[in-house]
Short mmCIF file of all heavy atoms in Angstrom, two decimals:
data_model
loop_
_atom_site.label_atom_id
_atom_site.label_comp_id
_atom_site.label_asym_id
_atom_site.label_seq_id
_atom_site.Cartn_x
_atom_site.Cartn_y
_atom_site.Cartn_z
N SER A 1 -4.09 -15.01 -4.82
CA SER A 1 -5.53 -14.73 -4.77
C SER A 1 -5.92 -13.75 -5.86
O SER A 1 -6.96 -13.91 -6.50
CB SER A 1 -5.93 -14.17 -3.40
OG SER A 1 -5.68 -15.12 -2.38
N ALA A 2 -5.07 -12.75 -6.10
CA ALA A 2 -5.36 -11.77 -7.15
C ALA A 2 -5.46 -12.46 -8.50
O ALA A 2 -6.40 -12.20 -9.27
CB ALA A 2 -4.28 -10.68 -7.16
N ARG A 3 -4.51 -13.34 -8.81
CA ARG A 3 -4.57 -14.06 -10.09
C ARG A 3 -5.83 -14.91 -10.18
O ARG A 3 -6.51 -14.92 -11.20
CB ARG A 3 -3.33 -14.95 -10.26
CG ARG A 3 -2.11 -14.20 -10.72
CD ARG A 3 -1.01 -15.13 -11.19
NE ARG A 3 -0.67 -16.18 -10.25
CZ ARG A 3 0.20 -16.08 -9.25
NH1 ARG A 3 0.84 -14.94 -9.07
NH2 ARG A 3 0.45 -17.09 -8.45
N THR A 4 -6.16 -15.62 -9.10
CA THR A 4 -7.34 -16.48 -9.10
C THR A 4 -8.62 -15.69 -9.34
O THR A 4 -9.52 -16.15 -10.03
CB THR A 4 -7.45 -17.24 -7.75
OG1 THR A 4 -6.29 -18.07 -7.60
CG2 THR A 4 -8.70 -18.10 -7.68
N HIS A 5 -8.68 -14.48 -8.78
CA HIS A 5 -9.89 -13.65 -8.89
C HIS A 5 -9.86 -12.72 -10.10
O HIS A 5 -10.66 -11.78 -10.18
CB HIS A 5 -10.10 -12.84 -7.62
CG HIS A 5 -10.51 -13.66 -6.43
ND1 HIS A 5 -11.74 -14.28 -6.36
CD2 HIS A 5 -9.86 -13.96 -5.29
CE1 HIS A 5 -11.83 -14.93 -5.21
NE2 HIS A 5 -10.70 -14.75 -4.54
N GLY A 6 -8.95 -12.95 -11.03
CA GLY A 6 -8.94 -12.17 -12.27
C GLY A 6 -8.23 -10.83 -12.19
O GLY A 6 -8.46 -9.96 -13.02
N LEU A 7 -7.36 -10.66 -11.20
CA LEU A 7 -6.61 -9.41 -11.06
C LEU A 7 -5.13 -9.66 -11.33
O LEU A 7 -4.25 -9.25 -10.57
CB LEU A 7 -6.79 -8.82 -9.66
CG LEU A 7 -8.21 -8.48 -9.23
CD1 LEU A 7 -8.21 -7.92 -7.81
CD2 LEU A 7 -8.85 -7.50 -10.19
N ALA A 8 -4.84 -10.32 -12.44
CA ALA A 8 -3.46 -10.69 -12.76
C ALA A 8 -2.55 -9.47 -12.92
O ALA A 8 -1.33 -9.58 -12.77
CB ALA A 8 -3.43 -11.55 -14.02
N SER A 9 -3.12 -8.31 -13.21
CA SER A 9 -2.28 -7.12 -13.39
C SER A 9 -1.79 -6.55 -12.05
O SER A 9 -0.92 -5.67 -12.05
CB SER A 9 -3.03 -6.05 -14.18
OG SER A 9 -4.13 -5.56 -13.43
N VAL A 10 -2.31 -7.02 -10.93
CA VAL A 10 -1.81 -6.60 -9.61
C VAL A 10 -0.56 -7.42 -9.35
O VAL A 10 -0.63 -8.60 -8.97
CB VAL A 10 -2.87 -6.80 -8.50
CG1 VAL A 10 -2.30 -6.42 -7.15
CG2 VAL A 10 -4.12 -6.00 -8.81
N GLN A 11 0.61 -6.79 -9.58
CA GLN A 11 1.87 -7.53 -9.52
C GLN A 11 2.93 -6.89 -8.65
O GLN A 11 3.98 -7.47 -8.43
CB GLN A 11 2.43 -7.69 -10.94
CG GLN A 11 1.54 -8.49 -11.82
CD GLN A 11 2.13 -8.66 -13.22
OE1 GLN A 11 3.21 -8.17 -13.52
NE2 GLN A 11 1.40 -9.35 -14.06
N ARG A 12 2.68 -5.67 -8.18
CA ARG A 12 3.67 -5.01 -7.33
C ARG A 12 3.11 -4.82 -5.94
O ARG A 12 1.92 -4.60 -5.77
CB ARG A 12 4.05 -3.63 -7.89
CG ARG A 12 4.85 -3.67 -9.15
CD ARG A 12 5.51 -2.33 -9.49
NE ARG A 12 4.63 -1.18 -9.40
CZ ARG A 12 5.04 0.03 -9.00
NH1 ARG A 12 6.28 0.24 -8.61
NH2 ARG A 12 4.20 1.04 -8.98
N GLY A 13 3.99 -4.90 -4.95
CA GLY A 13 3.55 -4.67 -3.59
C GLY A 13 4.72 -4.64 -2.62
O GLY A 13 5.82 -5.06 -2.94
N VAL A 14 4.44 -4.13 -1.44
CA VAL A 14 5.40 -4.07 -0.36
C VAL A 14 4.71 -4.63 0.88
O VAL A 14 3.60 -4.22 1.23
CB VAL A 14 5.87 -2.62 -0.09
CG1 VAL A 14 6.78 -2.57 1.13
CG2 VAL A 14 6.57 -2.06 -1.30
N PHE A 15 5.38 -5.58 1.53
CA PHE A 15 4.86 -6.21 2.74
C PHE A 15 5.90 -6.00 3.83
O PHE A 15 7.00 -6.54 3.77
CB PHE A 15 4.58 -7.69 2.47
CG PHE A 15 3.54 -7.88 1.41
CD1 PHE A 15 3.88 -7.88 0.07
CD2 PHE A 15 2.21 -7.99 1.76
CE1 PHE A 15 2.92 -8.00 -0.91
CE2 PHE A 15 1.23 -8.12 0.78
CZ PHE A 15 1.59 -8.12 -0.56
N THR A 16 5.55 -5.18 4.83
CA THR A 16 6.54 -4.66 5.78
C THR A 16 6.65 -5.45 7.08
O THR A 16 7.42 -5.06 7.95
CB THR A 16 6.21 -3.20 6.13
OG1 THR A 16 4.95 -3.16 6.82
CG2 THR A 16 6.17 -2.34 4.88
N GLN A 17 5.90 -6.51 7.23
CA GLN A 17 5.93 -7.36 8.42
C GLN A 17 5.77 -6.54 9.71
O GLN A 17 6.54 -6.63 10.63
CB GLN A 17 7.20 -8.20 8.46
CG GLN A 17 7.08 -9.39 9.37
CD GLN A 17 8.02 -10.52 8.97
OE1 GLN A 17 8.65 -10.50 7.91
NE2 GLN A 17 8.10 -11.51 9.81
N GLY A 18 4.74 -5.71 9.72
CA GLY A 18 4.39 -4.95 10.90
C GLY A 18 4.87 -3.51 10.92
O GLY A 18 4.33 -2.69 11.65
N ALA A 19 5.87 -3.18 10.14
CA ALA A 19 6.38 -1.80 10.12
C ALA A 19 5.44 -0.90 9.32
O ALA A 19 4.68 -1.37 8.48
CB ALA A 19 7.77 -1.77 9.50
N GLU A 20 5.50 0.38 9.61
CA GLU A 20 4.66 1.34 8.88
C GLU A 20 5.02 1.30 7.40
O GLU A 20 6.19 1.43 7.03
CB GLU A 20 4.85 2.75 9.43
CG GLU A 20 4.26 2.92 10.81
CD GLU A 20 4.34 4.35 11.29
OE1 GLU A 20 4.99 5.19 10.63
OE2 GLU A 20 3.73 4.64 12.33
N PRO A 21 4.03 1.14 6.54
CA PRO A 21 4.30 1.00 5.11
C PRO A 21 4.38 2.32 4.34
O PRO A 21 4.75 2.32 3.17
CB PRO A 21 3.11 0.18 4.62
CG PRO A 21 2.00 0.59 5.53
CD PRO A 21 2.63 0.85 6.88
N PHE A 22 4.09 3.44 4.98
CA PHE A 22 3.89 4.69 4.26
C PHE A 22 5.13 5.23 3.57
O PHE A 22 5.04 5.97 2.60
CB PHE A 22 3.28 5.74 5.18
CG PHE A 22 2.09 5.20 5.91
CD1 PHE A 22 2.15 4.95 7.26
CD2 PHE A 22 0.94 4.88 5.23
CE1 PHE A 22 1.06 4.41 7.93
CE2 PHE A 22 -0.15 4.33 5.87
CZ PHE A 22 -0.09 4.10 7.23
N ARG A 23 6.31 4.86 4.08
CA ARG A 23 7.53 5.36 3.43
C ARG A 23 7.70 4.81 2.01
O ARG A 23 8.53 5.28 1.26
CB ARG A 23 8.74 5.04 4.28
CG ARG A 23 9.03 3.56 4.39
CD ARG A 23 10.25 3.31 5.23
NE ARG A 23 10.47 1.88 5.31
CZ ARG A 23 11.08 1.29 6.28
NH1 ARG A 23 11.55 1.99 7.28
NH2 ARG A 23 11.26 -0.01 6.28
N TYR A 24 6.88 3.83 1.65
CA TYR A 24 6.96 3.24 0.31
C TYR A 24 5.99 3.88 -0.68
O TYR A 24 6.02 3.55 -1.86
CB TYR A 24 6.71 1.73 0.38
CG TYR A 24 7.78 1.01 1.19
CD1 TYR A 24 7.55 0.68 2.52
CD2 TYR A 24 9.01 0.71 0.62
CE1 TYR A 24 8.53 0.03 3.26
CE2 TYR A 24 9.99 0.07 1.36
CZ TYR A 24 9.74 -0.27 2.68
OH TYR A 24 10.72 -0.90 3.41
N LEU A 25 5.14 4.77 -0.22
CA LEU A 25 4.19 5.40 -1.15
C LEU A 25 4.90 6.14 -2.27
O LEU A 25 4.55 5.99 -3.44
CB LEU A 25 3.25 6.34 -0.39
CG LEU A 25 2.17 5.66 0.45
CD1 LEU A 25 1.51 6.66 1.39
CD2 LEU A 25 1.14 4.99 -0.44
N ARG A 26 5.90 6.92 -1.94
CA ARG A 26 6.63 7.69 -2.96
C ARG A 26 7.39 6.77 -3.91
O ARG A 26 7.28 6.90 -5.12
CB ARG A 26 7.54 8.72 -2.31
CG ARG A 26 8.08 9.74 -3.30
CD ARG A 26 8.80 10.93 -2.69
NE ARG A 26 8.35 11.50 -1.44
CZ ARG A 26 7.25 12.22 -1.20
NH1 ARG A 26 6.47 12.46 -2.08
NH2 ARG A 26 6.94 12.71 -0.04
N PRO A 27 8.21 5.81 -3.41
CA PRO A 27 8.92 4.93 -4.34
C PRO A 27 7.99 4.11 -5.25
O PRO A 27 8.35 3.80 -6.38
CB PRO A 27 9.73 4.00 -3.43
CG PRO A 27 9.88 4.75 -2.16
CD PRO A 27 8.64 5.59 -2.02
N LEU A 28 6.80 3.78 -4.76
CA LEU A 28 5.85 3.05 -5.60
C LEU A 28 5.18 3.95 -6.63
O LEU A 28 4.52 3.47 -7.54
CB LEU A 28 4.77 2.39 -4.73
CG LEU A 28 5.21 1.18 -3.91
CD1 LEU A 28 4.12 0.79 -2.91
CD2 LEU A 28 5.55 0.01 -4.81
N GLY A 29 5.35 5.26 -6.47
CA GLY A 29 4.71 6.20 -7.39
C GLY A 29 3.22 6.33 -7.13
O GLY A 29 2.46 6.69 -8.04
N ALA A 30 2.79 6.06 -5.91
CA ALA A 30 1.35 6.06 -5.58
C ALA A 30 0.77 7.47 -5.59
O ALA A 30 1.38 8.41 -5.07
CB ALA A 30 1.13 5.42 -4.22
N HIS A 31 -0.39 7.60 -6.18
CA HIS A 31 -1.14 8.85 -6.18
C HIS A 31 -2.24 8.83 -5.13
O HIS A 31 -2.75 9.88 -4.75
CB HIS A 31 -1.79 9.09 -7.55
CG HIS A 31 -0.81 9.20 -8.65
ND1 HIS A 31 -0.61 8.21 -9.59
CD2 HIS A 31 0.07 10.18 -8.95
CE1 HIS A 31 0.33 8.59 -10.43
NE2 HIS A 31 0.76 9.77 -10.07
N LEU A 32 -2.62 7.63 -4.68
CA LEU A 32 -3.72 7.48 -3.73
C LEU A 32 -3.50 6.22 -2.92
O LEU A 32 -3.08 5.19 -3.47
CB LEU A 32 -5.06 7.37 -4.49
CG LEU A 32 -6.33 7.13 -3.68
CD1 LEU A 32 -6.60 8.30 -2.72
CD2 LEU A 32 -7.51 6.92 -4.62
N PHE A 33 -3.76 6.30 -1.61
CA PHE A 33 -3.68 5.14 -0.73
C PHE A 33 -5.08 4.83 -0.23
O PHE A 33 -5.77 5.71 0.30
CB PHE A 33 -2.73 5.42 0.44
CG PHE A 33 -2.72 4.33 1.49
CD1 PHE A 33 -2.30 3.04 1.17
CD2 PHE A 33 -3.13 4.60 2.78
CE1 PHE A 33 -2.30 2.04 2.13
CE2 PHE A 33 -3.11 3.61 3.76
CZ PHE A 33 -2.70 2.32 3.43
N LEU A 34 -5.52 3.57 -0.37
CA LEU A 34 -6.83 3.13 0.09
C LEU A 34 -6.67 2.06 1.15
O LEU A 34 -5.87 1.13 0.99
CB LEU A 34 -7.64 2.56 -1.07
CG LEU A 34 -7.94 3.49 -2.23
CD1 LEU A 34 -8.63 2.72 -3.35
CD2 LEU A 34 -8.79 4.67 -1.76
N SER A 35 -7.43 2.18 2.22
CA SER A 35 -7.36 1.19 3.30
C SER A 35 -8.70 1.15 4.03
O SER A 35 -9.42 2.15 4.06
CB SER A 35 -6.25 1.56 4.28
OG SER A 35 -6.23 0.66 5.38
N ALA A 36 -9.01 0.02 4.61
CA ALA A 36 -10.18 -0.09 5.47
C ALA A 36 -9.84 0.35 6.89
O ALA A 36 -10.72 0.49 7.73
CB ALA A 36 -10.70 -1.53 5.47
N ASN A 37 -8.56 0.60 7.16
CA ASN A 37 -8.10 1.00 8.49
C ASN A 37 -8.00 2.52 8.57
O ASN A 37 -7.14 3.13 7.94
CB ASN A 37 -6.73 0.34 8.75
CG ASN A 37 -6.21 0.62 10.13
OD1 ASN A 37 -6.20 1.76 10.59
ND2 ASN A 37 -5.75 -0.41 10.80
N GLY A 38 -8.88 3.11 9.34
CA GLY A 38 -8.94 4.56 9.46
C GLY A 38 -7.66 5.18 10.01
O GLY A 38 -7.25 6.26 9.59
N ALA A 39 -7.00 4.49 10.95
CA ALA A 39 -5.76 5.02 11.52
C ALA A 39 -4.65 5.09 10.47
O ALA A 39 -3.89 6.06 10.42
CB ALA A 39 -5.32 4.16 12.71
N ASP A 40 -4.58 4.07 9.63
CA ASP A 40 -3.56 4.08 8.56
C ASP A 40 -3.83 5.22 7.58
O ASP A 40 -2.90 5.88 7.11
CB ASP A 40 -3.53 2.75 7.83
CG ASP A 40 -2.79 1.67 8.61
OD1 ASP A 40 -2.23 1.97 9.68
OD2 ASP A 40 -2.78 0.51 8.14
N VAL A 41 -5.09 5.43 7.25
CA VAL A 41 -5.45 6.52 6.35
C VAL A 41 -5.07 7.86 6.96
O VAL A 41 -4.48 8.71 6.29
CB VAL A 41 -6.95 6.47 6.00
CG1 VAL A 41 -7.40 7.74 5.29
CG2 VAL A 41 -7.25 5.24 5.13
N SER A 42 -5.35 8.04 8.24
CA SER A 42 -5.00 9.29 8.92
C SER A 42 -3.49 9.52 8.91
O SER A 42 -3.04 10.65 8.70
CB SER A 42 -5.50 9.27 10.37
OG SER A 42 -6.90 9.28 10.39
N GLU A 43 -2.71 8.46 9.12
CA GLU A 43 -1.25 8.60 9.10
C GLU A 43 -0.75 9.01 7.72
O GLU A 43 0.11 9.87 7.59
CB GLU A 43 -0.58 7.29 9.51
CG GLU A 43 -0.57 7.05 11.00
CD GLU A 43 0.31 5.87 11.38
OE1 GLU A 43 1.50 5.86 11.00
OE2 GLU A 43 -0.21 4.97 12.04
N ALA A 44 -1.30 8.38 6.68
CA ALA A 44 -0.89 8.72 5.32
C ALA A 44 -1.24 10.18 5.00
O ALA A 44 -0.44 10.91 4.42
CB ALA A 44 -1.54 7.78 4.31
N LEU A 45 -2.42 10.60 5.41
CA LEU A 45 -2.83 11.99 5.19
C LEU A 45 -1.91 12.96 5.93
O LEU A 45 -1.52 13.99 5.38
CB LEU A 45 -4.28 12.19 5.63
CG LEU A 45 -5.35 11.57 4.75
CD1 LEU A 45 -6.71 11.61 5.45
CD2 LEU A 45 -5.42 12.27 3.40
N ALA A 46 -1.54 12.62 7.16
CA ALA A 46 -0.66 13.48 7.95
C ALA A 46 0.72 13.61 7.30
O ALA A 46 1.40 14.62 7.46
CB ALA A 46 -0.52 12.93 9.37
N MET A 47 1.11 12.60 6.54
CA MET A 47 2.39 12.63 5.84
C MET A 47 2.28 13.33 4.48
O MET A 47 3.25 13.42 3.75
CB MET A 47 2.92 11.22 5.66
CG MET A 47 3.29 10.55 6.98
SD MET A 47 3.79 8.83 6.76
CE MET A 47 5.34 9.04 5.92
#
């Protein structure tokens, strides 16, 4: 979908099949996490 919509540079990701994804923020080198899910945002902030 990213390629179809002109976001070909979006090429990295982690899909955890239900597990909490936050342990991957550091290995991905993320500076900011964005989500529409308020609970996920709160968990990332708490970490």
Side-chain angles (χ1 to χ4, degrees):
S1 297
R3 280 193 309 273
T4 299
H5 289 292
L7 300 179
S9 66
V10 177
Q11 297 181 0
R12 290 195 313 145
V14 175
F15 298 85
T16 65
Q17 199 155 350
E20 290 186 352
F22 310 109
R23 66 179 180 206
Y24 297 98
L25 285 167
R26 193 170 324 289
L28 288 169
H31 299 107
L32 177 63
F33 173 63
L34 300 174
S35 176
N37 183 312
D40 282 355
V41 169
S42 293
E43 281 190 55
L45 288 169
M47 294 175 69

